[in-house]
Amino acid sequence: MGRFTVERDLLMQNFSHFISEQKNTHMTHIEDKVIYGGVNGTRQAILALRSLRDMLKGTHNGSISVKWDGSPAIFAGIDPSDNRFFVAKKGIFNKNPKVYKSAADVDADTSGDLADKLKAALKYLPGLGITGVVQGDFLFGPGDLSTNTIDGEKYVTFHPNTIVYAVPASSPSARDILSAKIGIVWHTTYTGSSFESMRASYGVNVNRFKKSKHVWSQDAMLRDLTNVTMSKEDTDQVNEYLSTAGKLFNQISGTTLRTLEQNHDLAMLIETYNNTFVRQGQVIGNSAAHVTGLIRWIKARYQKEIDALKTEKGKAGKQSKLNSILEFFSEDNKASLVKMFDLQKVIVLAKLKLINTLNKLNNVKTFVKTRNGFKVTGAEGFVAIDKLGGDAVKIVDRMEFSYNNFSPDILKGWDKPTRN
């Protein structure tokens, strides 16, 4: 049995519950599966990178979709309870599903730009003949399209959030976009007899939709993965990272990973601490120092909460919670955490190499808008989808996207006067 067959079988065994069992309202970054996923989740992260490497070599049965930086996330289709067309935000999966079937429904719950987009979706999306339930990202509505000249080339642009999307003005796509009332990219299909019981699967077959001049509609899949491949140097580097990842994985205590998997509050604290570095554009340095800093940060965070409480009972309760969390940081667990953070860093290095290749495959150019003009940026990210297991994992250059998202120097789509 060859290496690829073994990896494929492991993907089917261990990468099989991530998307198809869950609603696609939040997806974990691949490196954070180490924190939340326990032993199996960590293995899934490494195997997903191997799978993506093989997809780019044309030797694995998978596909890749682009994460579009749209707003809002939108659900649309037929309500199975009454067979009426609806649109919705992520509240569709609440205990009491929040869906909109008329303009009055939208106005009763939303306002401003969001209400305008939802009402436009209600007006134009029925023309697609959607028969089930699909999810996508709203890219543009009335008044959202612009024409800009960037580096000497004329583009039709739309700017839903942080990223500006640009299509050459002379292209057929630009003509279709300019004639449309709204633009949406679809990425997830749902099946089930009720919103509560629906299961998600990545991908939307837009070929089943009717044509509508009012809706620019496409799926999120990247095509022609074999057109751009990694260089031998990059491939060798990714292989080296993955080899190191496997060795580090074997050095981490399974007990440590399982404890984090079962203690969601602690896992969230670790992710939040890591994200303070991401948002500052800093790479985690020495992992042993990072563990020491994490413990100090947790103590300070809880002490601030304790000091804010007015009763001794409240203070004692919060102190008890802190003491319980600190019990995790035994010498054995701290040693495993050092290896865990080393593993996360290697996973990030591998994914960045893969992202550099994936960015070359995009057929819509991406920029950010500054006060001095437009600057080239990568896509928000990608989703690697295993066709054999039906599941997916998020691959994002968090440093670049987080900088763009939080930097006051980058103008956002929501900064427009018409957005409120």
Side-chain angles (χ1 to χ4, degrees):
M1 183 178 293
R3 176 186 58 77
F4 169 67
T5 304
V6 172
E7 290 179 1
R8 182 193 64 190
D9 290 345
L10 282 170
L11 273 165
M12 292 179 70
Q13 294 169 18
N14 299 316
F15 198 41
S16 61
H17 68 275
F18 187 58
I19 286 296
S20 59
E21 296 286 338
Q22 301 180 22
K23 308 297 191 294
N24 184 18
T25 55
H26 176 74
M27 196 187 306
T28 305
H29 289 278
I30 189 169
E31 63 270 25
D32 287 342
K33 288 186 69 63
V34 179
I35 300 173
Y36 290 104
V39 174
N40 283 341
T42 303
R43 184 178 293 114
Q44 286 170 15
I46 297 171
L47 293 175
L49 289 172
R50 289 179 182 172
S51 171
L52 182 51
R53 172 202 63 193
D54 291 342
M55 284 183 218
L56 291 174
K57 294 190 325 187
T59 58
H60 182 69
N61 189 19
S63 57
I64 300 167
S65 72
V66 181
K67 280 183 61 60
W68 290 70
D69 185 33
S71 177
I74 191 164
F75 299 76
I78 304 301
D79 184 339
S81 70
D82 61 9
N83 291 320
R84 292 178 62 194
F85 185 84
F86 74 92
V87 297
K89 303 177 295 178
K90 291 182 180 180
I92 184 176
F93 298 123
N94 292 348
K95 186 175 181 180
N96 295 311
K98 185 169 287 188
V99 298
Y100 311 111
K101 299 175 183 177
S102 68
D105 290 343
V106 174
D107 288 332
D109 187 56
T110 66
S111 61
D113 181 71
L114 175 58
D116 292 341
K117 283 180 167 50
L118 290 172
K119 285 188 284 189
L122 265 177
K123 181 176 181 179
Y124 298 115
L125 289 183
L128 297 180
I130 299 170
T131 56
V133 175
V134 291
Q135 178 186 354
D137 291 301
F138 203 107
L139 299 178
F140 63 84
D144 288 338
L145 297 176
S146 300
T147 301
N148 289 281
T149 299
I150 305 173
D151 294 333
E153 185 170 357
K154 190 174 181 180
Y155 293 95
V156 173
T157 63
F158 44 96
H159 190 187
N161 260 328
T162 300
I163 293 175
V164 177
Y165 294 97
V167 179
S170 60
S171 67
S173 289
R175 290 192 291 272
D176 291 341
I177 288 170
L178 287 169
S179 67
K181 302 296 185 184
I182 61 174
I184 297 179
V185 61
W186 305 104
H187 53 70
T188 307
T189 299
Y190 292 87
T191 55
S193 58
S194 67
F195 293 132
E196 184 177 7
S197 65
M198 281 183 176
R199 296 177 62 178
S201 59
Y202 239 89
V204 175
N205 187 354
V206 295
N207 292 327
R208 294 182 179 177
F209 293 171
K210 297 176 183 177
K211 298 295 183 183
S212 170
K213 66 179 182 180
H214 300 303
V215 182
W216 186 73
S217 175
Q218 66 176 59
D219 65 41
M221 293 299 171
L222 275 179
R223 302 297 196 277
D224 301 325
L225 297 182
T226 57
N227 282 355
V228 177
T229 57
M230 287 190 296
S231 67
K232 182 181 184 303
E233 182 182 356
D234 284 348
T235 300
D236 290 344
Q237 185 67 74
V238 170
N239 288 338
E240 184 178 334
Y241 289 144
L242 292 175
S243 175
T244 301
K247 293 173 184 176
L248 287 168
F249 181 33
N250 288 331
Q251 295 170 18
I252 301 172
S253 167
T255 300
T256 302
L257 292 174
R258 283 187 288 271
T259 300
L260 287 176
E261 182 182 20
Q262 294 161 9
N263 189 335
H264 191 73
D265 288 344
L266 177 57
M268 284 187 65
L269 282 172
I270 294 174
E271 183 194 7
T272 302
Y273 179 65
N274 287 350
N275 285 346
T276 62
F277 290 82
V278 172
R279 292 188 177 188
Q280 294 173 23
Q282 297 178 2
V283 177
I284 294 173
N286 181 279
S287 293
H290 193 67
V291 172
T292 301
L294 168 65
I295 296 169
R296 184 168 56 245
W297 178 84
I298 290 174
K299 288 179 179 178
R301 180 185 177 102
Y302 268 83
Q303 190 60 54
K304 184 177 180 180
E305 294 178 3
I306 290 168
D307 292 342
L309 294 171
K310 306 215 178 275
T311 68
E312 290 304 317
K313 182 178 179 180
K315 291 176 183 289
K318 187 65 70 172
Q319 182 66 52
S320 177
K321 181 70 182 292
L322 171 59
N323 293 341
S324 177
I325 288 173
L326 293 177
E327 287 177 3
F328 168 79
F329 293 98
S330 65
E331 290 305 313
D332 286 344
N333 280 341
K334 284 195 288 187
S336 281
L337 281 176
V338 171
K339 297 296 184 182
M340 188 186 83
F341 290 134
D342 284 340
L343 175 57
Q344 283 191 297
K345 286 188 284 187
V346 171
I347 287 173
V348 169
L349 290 171
K351 79 171 183 179
L352 291 177
K353 282 288 184 183
L354 296 165
I355 286 172
N356 285 339
T357 298
L358 292 171
N359 275 328
K360 299 173 186 176
L361 292 163
N362 253 333
N363 58 6
V364 176
K365 293 190 177 182
T366 50
F367 300 89
V368 288
K369 189 175 183 179
T370 74
R371 301 186 192 284
N372 298 317
F374 293 91
K375 184 177 75 171
V376 173
T377 190
E380 179 188 345
F382 302 89
V383 178
I385 304 157
D386 175 41
K387 289 184 178 177
L388 296 170
D391 306 293
V393 66
K394 183 163 64 173
I395 314 280
V396 176
D397 183 346
R398 296 172 77 182
M399 288 293 186
E400 179 179 52
F401 187 72
S402 183
Y403 170 79
N404 289 337
N405 205 27
F406 291 100
S407 172
D409 299 325
I410 304 298
L411 303 179
K412 313 302 191 296
W414 59 79
D415 291 330
K416 291 181 291 186
T418 55
R419 298 281 289 272
N420 53 31

